[in-house]
Amino acid sequence: MNLPTHPSTSPRRAACPACLRAQSACICRWIVPLASRVELLVLQHPLEVRNAKNSARLLHLCLAGSRLEVGETFSAQALDTLLHADGRTPLLLYPDTPGDASLGIAPPPPLPSESLRYPERLRLVVLDATWRKSRKMLYLNPALQRLPRLALQEVPPSAYRIRKAHAPHQLSSFEAAVHALAQLEENPIYYRPLLAAFDGFVQQQAACIQQVTRHLNHE
């Protein structure tokens, strides 16, 4: 006997096991496999995991040896392992924030000039979150506060037009990480294919947004 289906239930869309998106919105076509000398560690806020506009997983799938860990607060032991595994020197990709003192956050230590000469000894740490959530992650994880910080230099305007930014120089996590790797390895040409892939990803997401908007306008 066939039992009736509850009207509020619907079949779950099949998801791509790699990018974790619905098959109809899969972004794996934009994966450009590259090997970086600097290792990448992405700490992703839980609210970003299922965000269609989020690009950090695409970056993780592109860069061999990169790691992506999800969480807002990490245990001290787990975070220490992530940051210092294999004896690499971790650098936090984060701008200078003069207001940190009011939160009880001490100024970060200086960049280790000796380590910067050997990119293969470095680990770039990227917080994938909104600006407000990234500040919270920094506040909740003291180990991140103790990392030397890397600030980007002379970056072009963001191509991340599908997400609102307060200024042209505010980049997506994908763009910021790629520019930082290029800066640390002094090899911007090598990373151009990743930025081209990012442009394709943005165009795909923009088309999806337009399609949804047209559908809603016709309802």
Side-chain angles (χ1 to χ4, degrees):
M1 181 177 65
N2 294 326
L3 297 176
T5 302
H6 193 280
S8 65
T9 62
S10 59
R12 189 171 185 177
R13 293 185 300 173
C16 172
C19 68
L20 305 182
R21 296 170 184 249
Q23 291 285 2
S24 59
C26 177
I27 60 173
C28 290
R29 61 187 289 197
W30 305 115
I31 296 175
V32 178
L34 280 182
S36 60
R37 295 169 65 192
V38 177
E39 187 179 276
L40 176 69
L41 170 63
V42 179
L43 301 180
Q44 185 176 62
H45 193 277
L47 293 179
E48 295 294 325
V49 176
R50 298 295 177 182
N51 192 325
K53 299 176 184 178
N54 182 267
S55 58
R57 186 160 188 85
L58 175 60
L59 179 63
H60 168 55
L61 294 173
C62 288
L63 289 176
S66 64
R67 292 197 62 169
L68 188 151
E69 299 292 333
V70 178
E72 184 177 66
T73 306
F74 299 86
S75 72
Q77 181 177 358
L79 185 55
D80 183 73
T81 299
L82 289 171
L83 295 176
H84 300 283
D86 304 324
R88 288 181 181 253
T89 299
L91 303 176
L92 180 64
L93 180 59
Y94 212 81
D96 293 330
T97 47
D100 282 350
S102 64
L103 300 176
I105 299 176
L111 282 170
S113 56
E114 181 65 22
S115 297
L116 292 176
R117 295 172 55 189
Y118 304 97
E120 61 277 358
R121 299 180 185 177
L122 300 175
R123 174 172 290 113
L124 180 67
V125 183
V126 176
L127 304 184
D128 181 47
T130 63
W131 175 247
R132 185 171 63 86
K133 290 298 184 182
S134 71
R135 291 290 298 277
K136 187 175 181 181
M137 290 173 71
L138 184 65
Y139 177 75
L140 293 175
N141 297 278
L144 296 178
Q145 302 171 22
R146 295 191 290 269
L147 297 182
R149 296 188 191 180
L150 175 70
L152 293 175
Q153 301 173 2
E154 300 179 356
V155 295
S158 175
Y160 203 29
R161 63 181 185 275
I162 57 175
R163 209 167 194 178
K164 184 178 180 180
H166 297 290
H169 65 274
Q170 292 181 338
L171 307 177
S172 67
S173 297
F174 189 110
E175 293 171 299
V178 169
H179 287 304
L181 292 172
Q183 179 177 312
L184 289 169
E185 298 179 12
E186 299 182 344
N187 195 357
I189 295 177
Y190 179 74
Y191 286 99
R192 283 180 183 172
L194 286 185
L195 295 176
F198 179 76
D199 286 341
F201 161 80
V202 171
Q203 291 175 21
Q204 177 181 333
Q205 299 310 304
C208 290
I209 293 172
Q210 290 175 359
Q211 184 177 3
V212 171
T213 301
R214 286 195 298 266
H215 176 74
L216 293 176
N217 289 337
H218 283 84
E219 285 188 347

